[in-house]
Amino acid sequence: MTTTPSSSLTQDELKALVGQAALQYVVPGEIVGVGTGSTVNKFIEALASMKDRIRGAVSSSVASTERLKALGIPVFDANEVESLAVYIDGADEIDAQGHMVKGGGAALTREKIVAALAQRFVCIADESKLVDVLGSFPLPVEVIPMATEHVRRRFQALGGSATVRLRDGQPLVTDNGQHIVDVLGLRIRDPLMFESEVNQWPGVLTVGVFAHQKASVCLLGTAQGVKTLTF
Protein backbone atom coordinates (compact mmCIF):
# COMPACT_ATOMS: atom_id res chain seq x y z
CA MET A 1 0.00 0.00 0.00
CA THR A 2 1.31 3.44 -0.91
CA THR A 3 0.00 6.81 0.22
CA THR A 4 0.89 9.42 -2.40
CA PRO A 5 1.47 13.07 -1.48
CA SER A 6 0.01 15.85 -3.60
CA SER A 7 3.43 17.34 -4.41
CA SER A 8 7.15 16.79 -3.99
CA LEU A 9 8.10 16.74 -0.31
CA THR A 10 11.30 17.52 1.58
CA GLN A 11 12.89 14.87 3.78
CA ASP A 12 11.54 16.64 6.85
CA GLU A 13 8.03 16.60 5.38
CA LEU A 14 8.37 12.91 4.54
CA LYS A 15 9.33 12.23 8.16
CA ALA A 16 6.16 14.02 9.22
CA LEU A 17 4.17 11.97 6.71
CA VAL A 18 5.42 8.60 8.02
CA GLY A 19 4.99 9.84 11.58
CA GLN A 20 1.37 10.64 10.82
CA ALA A 21 0.89 7.33 8.99
CA ALA A 22 2.09 5.45 12.07
CA LEU A 23 -0.96 6.64 14.03
CA GLN A 24 -3.06 3.95 12.30
CA TYR A 25 -1.07 1.31 14.22
CA VAL A 26 -1.67 2.88 17.63
CA VAL A 27 -4.28 0.89 19.56
CA PRO A 28 -6.83 3.13 21.36
CA GLY A 29 -6.97 2.51 25.10
CA GLU A 30 -3.49 0.99 25.17
CA ILE A 31 0.03 2.12 26.09
CA VAL A 32 2.22 2.68 23.02
CA GLY A 33 5.95 2.06 22.80
CA VAL A 34 7.81 5.11 21.49
CA GLY A 35 11.36 5.16 20.14
CA THR A 36 13.96 7.88 19.64
CA GLY A 37 15.17 10.13 16.83
CA SER A 38 14.17 12.84 14.38
CA THR A 39 11.54 10.73 12.60
CA VAL A 40 10.07 9.56 15.91
CA ASN A 41 9.86 13.20 17.01
CA LYS A 42 7.40 13.73 14.15
CA PHE A 43 5.41 10.72 15.35
CA ILE A 44 5.33 12.12 18.89
CA GLU A 45 3.96 15.41 17.53
CA ALA A 46 1.28 13.47 15.64
CA LEU A 47 0.51 11.31 18.70
CA ALA A 48 -0.47 14.43 20.62
CA SER A 49 -3.59 14.60 18.42
CA MET A 50 -4.89 11.35 19.96
CA LYS A 51 -3.40 11.56 23.45
CA ASP A 52 -6.86 11.41 25.03
CA ARG A 53 -7.49 8.04 23.34
CA ILE A 54 -4.42 6.24 24.72
CA ARG A 55 -3.33 5.42 28.28
CA GLY A 56 0.15 6.76 27.63
CA ALA A 57 3.56 5.65 26.38
CA VAL A 58 6.68 3.73 27.30
CA SER A 59 9.70 5.63 26.02
CA SER A 60 13.14 4.44 24.92
CA SER A 61 15.07 7.57 25.91
CA VAL A 62 15.18 10.55 28.23
CA ALA A 63 14.79 12.86 25.21
CA SER A 64 11.60 11.16 24.00
CA THR A 65 10.22 11.03 27.53
CA GLU A 66 10.66 14.80 27.85
CA ARG A 67 8.91 15.39 24.51
CA LEU A 68 6.01 13.15 25.42
CA LYS A 69 5.51 14.75 28.82
CA ALA A 70 5.72 18.25 27.33
CA LEU A 71 2.75 17.32 25.13
CA GLY A 72 0.76 15.98 28.07
CA ILE A 73 1.22 12.28 27.26
CA PRO A 74 1.76 10.14 30.39
CA VAL A 75 4.98 8.09 30.36
CA PHE A 76 5.18 4.72 32.10
CA ASP A 77 8.30 2.89 33.23
CA ALA A 78 8.93 -0.29 31.24
CA ASN A 79 8.69 -2.27 34.50
CA GLU A 80 5.09 -1.13 34.91
CA VAL A 81 3.83 -2.91 31.78
CA GLU A 82 3.70 -6.59 30.85
CA SER A 83 3.37 -6.05 27.12
CA LEU A 84 2.71 -3.42 24.47
CA ALA A 85 0.53 -3.77 21.40
CA VAL A 86 2.98 -1.79 19.28
CA TYR A 87 6.39 -0.15 19.36
CA ILE A 88 7.05 2.64 16.86
CA ASP A 89 10.63 3.67 16.11
CA GLY A 90 13.00 4.62 13.32
CA ALA A 91 16.06 2.81 11.95
CA ASP A 92 19.47 3.68 10.58
CA GLU A 93 19.23 0.74 8.17
CA ILE A 94 16.56 -1.86 7.37
CA ASP A 95 16.76 -4.83 5.00
CA ALA A 96 14.13 -6.71 3.00
CA GLN A 97 13.44 -9.06 5.92
CA GLY A 98 12.84 -6.29 8.47
CA HIS A 99 16.23 -6.67 10.20
CA MET A 100 17.61 -3.31 11.28
CA VAL A 101 20.67 -1.42 12.45
CA LYS A 102 19.77 1.08 15.16
CA GLY A 103 21.57 3.23 17.68
CA GLY A 104 22.57 6.35 15.78
CA GLY A 105 20.89 8.26 18.58
CA ALA A 106 22.69 6.19 21.26
CA ALA A 107 19.43 4.79 22.69
CA LEU A 108 19.77 1.23 21.32
CA THR A 109 19.65 -0.63 24.64
CA ARG A 110 16.44 0.97 25.82
CA GLU A 111 15.01 0.69 22.30
CA LYS A 112 15.66 -3.05 22.29
CA ILE A 113 14.07 -3.45 25.73
CA VAL A 114 10.89 -1.64 24.69
CA ALA A 115 10.82 -3.51 21.37
CA ALA A 116 10.97 -6.80 23.28
CA LEU A 117 7.81 -5.82 25.17
CA ALA A 118 5.87 -5.16 21.96
CA GLN A 119 3.76 -7.55 19.96
CA ARG A 120 4.48 -5.52 16.80
CA PHE A 121 7.40 -3.29 15.77
CA VAL A 122 6.46 -0.56 13.27
CA CYS A 123 9.55 1.02 11.73
CA ILE A 124 9.24 4.54 10.30
CA ALA A 125 12.05 5.63 7.98
CA ASP A 126 12.92 7.26 4.67
CA GLU A 127 13.82 5.17 1.62
CA SER A 128 17.56 5.83 1.98
CA LYS A 129 17.50 3.50 5.01
CA LEU A 130 16.45 0.46 2.94
CA VAL A 131 19.53 -1.66 2.12
CA ASP A 132 20.33 -5.06 0.63
CA VAL A 133 22.87 -5.95 3.34
CA LEU A 134 23.28 -4.31 6.75
CA GLY A 135 26.60 -2.69 7.60
CA SER A 136 27.09 0.47 5.54
CA PHE A 137 25.88 2.61 8.44
CA PRO A 138 28.41 2.53 11.33
CA LEU A 139 27.15 -0.22 13.64
CA PRO A 140 26.55 1.17 17.17
CA VAL A 141 27.50 -1.07 20.10
CA GLU A 142 26.87 0.01 23.69
CA VAL A 143 29.73 -1.16 25.90
CA ILE A 144 30.83 -1.00 29.51
CA PRO A 145 33.72 1.51 29.45
CA MET A 146 36.39 -0.86 30.83
CA ALA A 147 35.72 -3.24 27.91
CA THR A 148 36.02 -0.66 25.14
CA GLU A 149 39.47 -1.64 23.85
CA HIS A 150 38.72 -5.36 24.12
CA VAL A 151 35.53 -4.91 22.06
CA ARG A 152 37.37 -2.75 19.51
CA ARG A 153 39.97 -5.49 19.00
CA ARG A 154 37.26 -8.14 18.57
CA PHE A 155 35.67 -6.12 15.76
CA GLN A 156 39.02 -5.47 14.14
CA ALA A 157 39.54 -9.25 14.03
CA LEU A 158 36.29 -9.44 12.04
CA GLY A 159 37.55 -6.85 9.57
CA GLY A 160 35.76 -3.89 11.08
CA SER A 161 37.09 -0.49 12.07
CA ALA A 162 35.80 0.46 15.54
CA THR A 163 35.94 3.89 17.15
CA VAL A 164 34.56 5.29 20.38
CA ARG A 165 31.78 7.82 19.76
CA LEU A 166 32.71 11.24 21.10
CA ARG A 167 30.74 14.27 22.22
CA ASP A 168 32.60 17.53 22.80
CA GLY A 169 35.91 15.65 22.58
CA GLN A 170 35.01 13.12 25.30
CA PRO A 171 33.43 9.65 25.05
CA LEU A 172 29.66 10.01 24.75
CA VAL A 173 27.85 8.73 27.84
CA THR A 174 24.52 7.03 27.18
CA ASP A 175 21.36 7.29 29.27
CA ASN A 176 22.62 4.06 30.89
CA GLY A 177 26.04 5.51 31.80
CA GLN A 178 27.93 3.52 29.16
CA HIS A 179 29.92 4.26 25.98
CA ILE A 180 29.19 3.65 22.29
CA VAL A 181 31.60 1.99 19.87
CA ASP A 182 30.77 2.58 16.17
CA VAL A 183 31.97 -0.06 13.71
CA LEU A 184 32.57 0.47 9.98
CA GLY A 185 33.46 -2.05 7.31
CA LEU A 186 31.10 -4.89 8.19
CA ARG A 187 28.76 -6.80 5.87
CA ILE A 188 26.16 -8.40 8.15
CA ARG A 189 24.75 -11.17 5.97
CA ASP A 190 23.29 -13.22 8.84
CA PRO A 191 21.87 -10.63 11.25
CA LEU A 192 20.36 -13.17 13.67
CA MET A 193 23.62 -15.07 14.13
CA PHE A 194 25.66 -11.86 14.29
CA GLU A 195 23.43 -10.32 16.94
CA SER A 196 23.50 -13.47 19.06
CA GLU A 197 27.30 -13.77 18.82
CA VAL A 198 28.25 -10.17 19.60
CA ASN A 199 25.80 -9.96 22.51
CA GLN A 200 27.84 -12.72 24.18
CA TRP A 201 31.09 -10.77 24.13
CA PRO A 202 32.16 -9.68 27.65
CA GLY A 203 31.49 -5.99 28.13
CA VAL A 204 28.92 -5.64 25.34
CA LEU A 205 25.67 -4.29 26.75
CA THR A 206 23.80 -4.24 23.43
CA VAL A 207 24.73 -4.54 19.76
CA GLY A 208 22.72 -2.32 17.41
CA VAL A 209 21.51 -5.15 15.17
CA PHE A 210 17.77 -5.66 15.64
CA ALA A 211 17.16 -9.14 14.22
CA HIS A 212 15.60 -10.88 17.21
CA GLN A 213 13.39 -7.78 17.62
CA LYS A 214 12.95 -7.06 13.92
CA ALA A 215 10.29 -4.89 12.32
CA SER A 216 6.84 -6.30 11.54
CA VAL A 217 6.01 -3.35 9.31
CA CYS A 218 8.03 -0.52 7.78
CA LEU A 219 6.44 2.76 6.73
CA LEU A 220 8.95 4.03 4.21
CA GLY A 221 8.95 7.65 3.13
CA THR A 222 9.64 7.85 -0.62
CA ALA A 223 9.45 10.45 -3.35
CA GLN A 224 6.06 8.94 -4.21
CA GLY A 225 4.79 9.03 -0.63
CA VAL A 226 4.58 6.44 2.16
CA LYS A 227 5.22 2.86 1.08
CA THR A 228 4.16 0.10 3.48
CA LEU A 229 6.43 -2.96 3.73
CA THR A 230 5.22 -5.98 5.71
CA PHE A 231 7.62 -8.66 6.93
Side-chain angles (χ1 to χ4, degrees):
M1 182 182 73
T2 302
T3 303
T4 305
S6 58
S7 61
S8 179
L9 298 175
T10 66
Q11 187 177 34
D12 195 56
E13 288 169 331
L14 281 175
K15 289 179 179 181
L17 200 64
V18 295
Q20 187 71 36
L23 290 181
Q24 66 184 300
Y25 294 91
V26 175
V27 180
E30 297 279 345
I31 299 171
V32 59
V34 177
T36 302
S38 59
T39 307
V40 172
N41 289 343
K42 298 295 186 181
F43 167 67
I44 292 173
E45 291 172 10
L47 188 63
S49 68
M50 61 178 295
K51 64 182 179 181
D52 295 331
R53 287 184 280 150
I54 59 171
R55 288 175 58 199
V58 170
S59 164
S60 69
S61 69
V62 172
S64 288
T65 293
E66 290 174 350
R67 284 180 176 272
L68 288 160
K69 288 183 174 178
L71 292 170
I73 299 171
V75 178
F76 294 81
D77 187 277
N79 290 308
E80 297 180 89
V81 303
E82 289 188 15
S83 67
L84 299 166
V86 67
Y87 175 57
I88 296 171
D89 199 0
D92 299 306
E93 288 184 329
I94 184 166
D95 69 14
Q97 288 74 47
H99 304 132
M100 297 166 288
V101 165
K102 293 174 50 54
L108 61 161
T109 298
R110 296 190 184 194
E111 288 171 349
K112 198 168 281 191
I113 291 167
V114 183
L117 290 171
Q119 298 168 32
R120 173 185 261 186
F121 189 137
V122 176
C123 175
I124 51 177
D126 67 79
E127 62 183 338
S128 69
K129 306 301 193 298
L130 185 63
V131 299
D132 293 327
V133 180
L134 301 177
S136 295
F137 186 90
L139 173 69
V141 186
E142 187 163 358
V143 299
I144 295 170
M146 71 174 288
T148 300
E149 289 306 310
H150 169 72
V151 171
R152 286 183 67 247
R153 289 191 292 269
R154 293 284 293 261
F155 278 116
Q156 287 168 354
L158 294 179
S161 173
T163 57
V164 178
R165 190 181 302 182
L166 303 178
R167 176 178 288 168
D168 299 325
Q170 298 296 320
L172 178 146
V173 178
T174 70
D175 288 348
N176 308 308
Q178 312 302 331
H179 291 173
I180 298 285
V181 170
D182 291 311
V183 189
L184 277 169
L186 300 176
R187 299 282 285 174
I188 306 170
R189 299 188 183 279
D190 189 339
L192 272 168
M193 185 180 74
F194 183 90
E195 180 183 1
S196 296
E197 178 189 342
V198 176
N199 273 339
Q200 298 303 313
W201 293 0
V204 169
L205 188 62
T206 306
V207 61
V209 172
F210 282 59
H212 291 283
Q213 279 83 38
K214 72 172 191 172
S216 310
V217 175
C218 180
L219 302 177
L220 204 65
T222 76
Q224 291 73 43
V226 178
K227 183 178 180 181
T228 302
L229 308 177
T230 303
F231 309 106

